[in-house]
Amino acid sequence: MNVEIIIQTLNELVHQEAFLLAEHLILQHPQHHQNIEFNDVYATVLYFLDKHTQALAVLDFNIERILHHKANESWLIASYFQKANCYLALNNTPKAHYYFQKVLDTQDVSSPLYQEINQLLFV
């Protein structure tokens, strides 16, 4: 099956909150684990299944791929944001703040993402 179709299907399943079904689909296609976008949705699914440590491992792999292949910076920002959320879920506030700061460093102070993270950090 084409990776783009799988990613689209996974995103629809996430939108429908069908996380177990999405995980099952992901596990049926290990050949796509080199794809940054595939891994992004994979980490999202793991996050919503409360598998935060596994999500962090996928995100670490993705970050290495992004940096190695000089991929689109938006994927790097998304991975840092997801890592921060995973660390928050694991009650590791210092690491969450570290990754939120990495995202903030890339954002204009007027951006909605900057405002959202600032609210999280200073609540």
Side-chain angles (χ1 to χ4, degrees):
M1 188 181 262
N2 182 316
V3 69
E4 289 83 17
I5 293 171
I6 294 170
I7 292 167
Q8 180 181 359
T9 303
L10 289 169
N11 283 320
E12 290 170 9
L13 291 170
V14 167
H15 183 72
Q16 297 168 7
E17 298 183 7
F19 304 117
L20 288 173
L21 186 56
E23 182 183 40
H24 180 74
L25 179 59
I26 289 165
L27 296 175
Q28 296 302 310
H29 296 280
Q31 72 275 18
H32 297 307
H33 290 277
Q34 299 298 314
N35 182 290
I36 292 167
E37 191 173 356
F38 182 89
N39 287 335
D40 182 74
V41 73
Y42 185 18
T44 300
V45 168
L46 291 170
Y47 173 84
F48 282 111
L49 290 174
D50 293 327
K51 297 181 178 182
H52 304 111
T53 304
Q54 288 175 277
L56 287 168
V58 171
L59 291 166
D60 285 339
F61 177 79
N62 229 22
I63 289 168
E64 286 299 316
R65 291 199 50 77
I66 293 165
L67 294 173
H68 183 264
H69 294 290
K70 296 182 176 44
N72 188 326
E73 184 179 300
S74 65
W75 289 117
L76 185 61
I77 295 166
S79 293
Y80 287 153
F81 187 73
Q82 285 194 60
K83 279 189 79 160
N85 286 320
C86 286
Y87 281 121
L88 267 184
L90 293 169
N91 294 316
N92 189 333
T93 306
K95 282 195 176 182
H97 282 219
Y98 173 79
Y99 284 101
F100 279 137
Q101 189 60 53
K102 286 178 103 39
V103 175
L104 286 177
D105 291 345
T106 68
Q107 301 296 302
D108 182 80
V109 295
S110 62
S111 79
L113 182 58
Y114 188 95
Q115 299 301 322
E116 181 182 341
I117 292 172
N118 250 351
Q119 286 180 333
L120 283 171
L121 291 176
F122 299 109
V123 170

